[in-house]
Amino acid sequence: MTNPFIKELMNGKENGSFLALDLGGTNFRVILIQITDGIFDKEEVEYYNIPKHLFTEEGTKLYDFIAISIEHFLTNRGANDRHYDLGFTFSFPMHLEAIDVAIHTSWTKSFSCPGVIGKNVRELLSSAIQRKTNLDISVTCVTNDCIATLVYGSYFDKRCAIGLIMGTGNNACYIENTSNIHKWKDTERSESAVVLEWGAFGDNGVLDFLRTKWDRIVDKKSVVKRTYTFEKCLAGKYLGCLVREALVTLAQEGLFCKGSTELLETHEHLKTSQISKIEAEAFRDELFYTKDVLSSYLELEDVTDDDARIAQYVCGLVSYRAALLLSLVTSMLLNRMDRPHCTIAVDGSLFVHHPRFKPLMELLIEQNAPGKSFSFLTTKDGSGKGAGLVAAIENRIRNS
Ligand code: BGC
């Protein structure tokens, strides 16, 4: 549970061009936004693929790569000759001590770069920009992706009170009465956003009753072992692995596909994006794509219609469990906040591309938070652009 130190939201007096960075999944984004009197004039987004070796090498190399990419982005647009305030969405566990003091506490998802844990994320990025570029950039804030999504969502709908990320990783933040938060000193305001880092829920064993043998196998093969229990049940990084491991067991028991299962047994070979497409096909009661994944992509032999239906059934079960778990914790927030209406700002590939997540969650939340009025607001790239908005708000506060 972290205090994101967001003092205010947009008030219509923000002006200027601001940079935002979004680091969290397999690629990262550089974003330039232009704001006039609190209104978005222009936004440009570019994705950069992070080379595989940088996920595990010394952390400063990752920061150097980020700095070089910002320079590439600005130089390409002929915009590298002026000063920018930059907001950094850093989607990993950190302890925030101020809006620009973010102590990185651990890696999650696919990252395990040594040498940066315990350090201030802002300092690491600022040093890399100085070391590797001639750019004039002030890193004015570090934020988590769910907070950035909430801030971005609030720009469109003032009733936003939850920011939810359903992508490679999973996390949420919500608005709490500060009188309920006893351990924070920063209690001048009546309400504050709280970052939950709920991916780590269950690390103390409270979710053991629902973990299957496939959850344990996925944990053993993950980069960050014996932690992030909840995230491993439902995030995009892990759903493909869970389905694959269950299918391996069925094949070993002679209940699914014949022949070599070498690719089926290859860790991370089946992607969550493929699970989303299989689910979409199951919805249409077709088998063509599913059979193609099994025979061409996983190179299984003599794939029958029954094999394809089994694969679709497993994808359905794993997806349903993920949607149910996420709906339960989201319902808990809605019940706790008890607002007349709560808009849930969401970003992340799983929510956007999986055909059943949104309808399932709408149904399951209705059952578990009866009578609570809520709606989802999908915010494309909100997890990045929101950091630009936070930088704009900080800039306005500083200059007022
Ligand atoms: C990280 C969170 C992040 C979430 C979604 C998790 O693995 O620990 O900080 O918000 O992924 O990107």
Side-chain angles (χ1 to χ4, degrees):
M1 188 176 133
T2 313
N3 180 349
F5 289 96
I6 308 281
K7 294 189 207 84
E8 293 172 23
L9 290 175
M10 307 261 289
N11 72 0
K13 292 186 182 152
E14 296 77 17
N15 284 292
S17 293
F18 300 92
L19 278 172
L21 296 185
D22 188 356
L23 175 74
T26 43
N27 53 35
F28 97 101
R29 282 167 280 190
V30 183
I31 300 167
L32 182 61
I33 57 174
Q34 197 173 308
I35 303 178
T36 308
D37 295 334
I39 307 282
F40 268 101
D41 273 347
K42 214 169 125 191
E43 53 189 54
E44 293 185 55
V45 182
E46 197 160 326
Y47 286 70
Y48 289 86
N49 270 326
I50 303 170
K52 218 166 171 221
H53 62 97
L54 293 183
F55 284 81
T56 48
E57 281 180 13
E58 195 64 33
T60 46
K61 291 191 184 167
L62 177 65
Y63 283 94
D64 287 351
F65 171 78
I66 295 173
I68 293 165
S69 304
I70 306 172
E71 185 155 61
H72 173 270
F73 176 91
L74 290 174
T75 309
N76 267 358
R77 287 162 178 79
N80 54 354
D81 54 352
R82 59 204 88 138
H83 172 85
Y84 294 97
D85 280 0
L86 181 149
F88 186 16
T89 296
F90 184 76
S91 306
F92 300 96
M94 52 187 171
H95 177 69
L96 279 152
E97 292 175 3
I99 189 83
D100 59 352
V101 182
I103 308 302
H104 184 183
T105 52
S106 60
W107 287 113
T108 54
K109 299 175 268 203
S110 309
F111 289 84
S112 60
C113 311
V116 285
I117 301 297
K119 299 200 173 150
N120 183 357
V121 171
R122 177 190 173 275
E123 295 297 327
L124 291 165
L125 178 61
S126 298
S127 312
I129 293 173
Q130 274 171 24
R131 196 166 50 238
K132 289 285 168 187
T133 76
N134 292 317
L135 300 170
D136 178 14
I137 289 178
S138 309
V139 182
T140 55
C141 56
V142 179
T143 179
N144 183 272
D145 49 1
C146 53
I147 283 289
T149 300
L150 179 62
V151 172
Y152 188 67
S154 309
Y155 171 79
F156 298 100
D157 183 343
K158 297 279 171 264
R159 299 168 306 168
C160 269
I162 295 180
L164 185 61
I165 299 294
M166 293 171 61
T168 311
N170 195 287
N171 197 4
C173 63
Y174 76 109
I175 307 288
E176 179 61 275
N177 296 328
T178 38
S179 57
N180 291 334
I181 313 174
H182 305 295
K183 58 181 197 179
W184 293 357
K185 292 185 201 95
D186 168 44
T187 50
E188 287 155 29
R189 288 159 290 128
S190 59
E191 290 185 326
S192 173
V194 177
V195 181
L196 290 161
E197 269 303 333
W198 67 22
F201 177 41
D203 286 5
N204 61 355
V206 293
L207 292 180
D208 282 358
F209 73 96
L210 62 80
R211 293 181 73 214
T212 64
K213 73 174 193 182
W214 302 293
D215 290 306
R216 290 176 215 284
I217 297 173
V218 169
D219 178 46
K220 259 198 196 133
K221 293 185 181 174
S222 67
V223 176
V224 286
K225 299 185 198 340
R226 290 180 299 282
T227 182
Y228 271 66
T229 311
F230 190 61
E231 178 160 283
K232 285 175 183 162
C233 296
L234 48 83
K237 168 108 183 105
Y238 304 104
L239 288 191
C241 303
L242 286 167
V243 168
R244 198 186 45 69
E245 292 298 346
L247 293 178
V248 167
T249 304
L250 290 174
Q252 283 163 352
E253 291 177 3
L255 299 168
F256 172 72
C257 286
K258 314 277 172 300
S260 160
T261 49
E262 196 185 328
L263 287 176
L264 181 65
E265 287 181 48
T266 304
H267 182 52
E268 295 196 327
H269 192 59
L270 189 64
K271 309 282 180 237
T272 298
S273 55
Q274 292 167 313
I275 307 303
S276 293
K277 289 188 190 151
I278 291 176
E279 279 276 85
E281 185 173 60
F283 215 55
R284 298 192 302 270
D285 200 19
E286 291 169 8
L287 297 173
F288 180 77
Y289 175 78
T290 310
K291 281 175 101 169
D292 191 51
V293 169
L294 297 181
S295 52
S296 310
Y297 184 75
L298 293 172
E299 295 179 5
L300 295 162
E301 286 163 27
D302 303 326
V303 173
T304 63
D305 284 5
D306 277 353
D307 290 326
R309 286 206 179 87
I310 290 170
Q312 289 186 345
Y313 181 67
V314 173
C315 289
L317 288 181
V318 171
S319 300
Y320 180 81
R321 186 185 71 158
L324 175 61
L325 289 173
L326 204 48
S327 302
L328 289 173
V329 286
T330 308
S331 304
M332 186 272 296
L333 293 182
L334 291 171
N335 288 330
R336 179 182 174 90
M337 286 188 295
D338 198 21
R339 297 190 162 224
H341 178 87
C342 173
T343 303
I344 305 171
V346 199
D347 198 6
S349 49
L350 190 56
F351 190 78
V352 173
H353 298 301
H354 193 295
R356 290 209 302 151
F357 252 94
K358 184 165 180 268
L360 262 179
M361 283 186 73
E362 279 167 347
L363 186 78
L364 293 164
I365 292 176
E366 237 172 76
Q367 289 169 4
N368 290 287
K372 298 286 176 248
S373 168
F374 71 95
S375 54
F376 287 110
L377 173 69
T378 312
T379 63
K380 173 101 181 81
D381 289 330
S383 63
K385 290 180 209 162
L389 295 190
V390 178
I393 296 166
E394 283 299 307
N395 175 284
R396 189 244 305 146
I397 296 174
R398 205 176 51 230
N399 296 327
S400 61

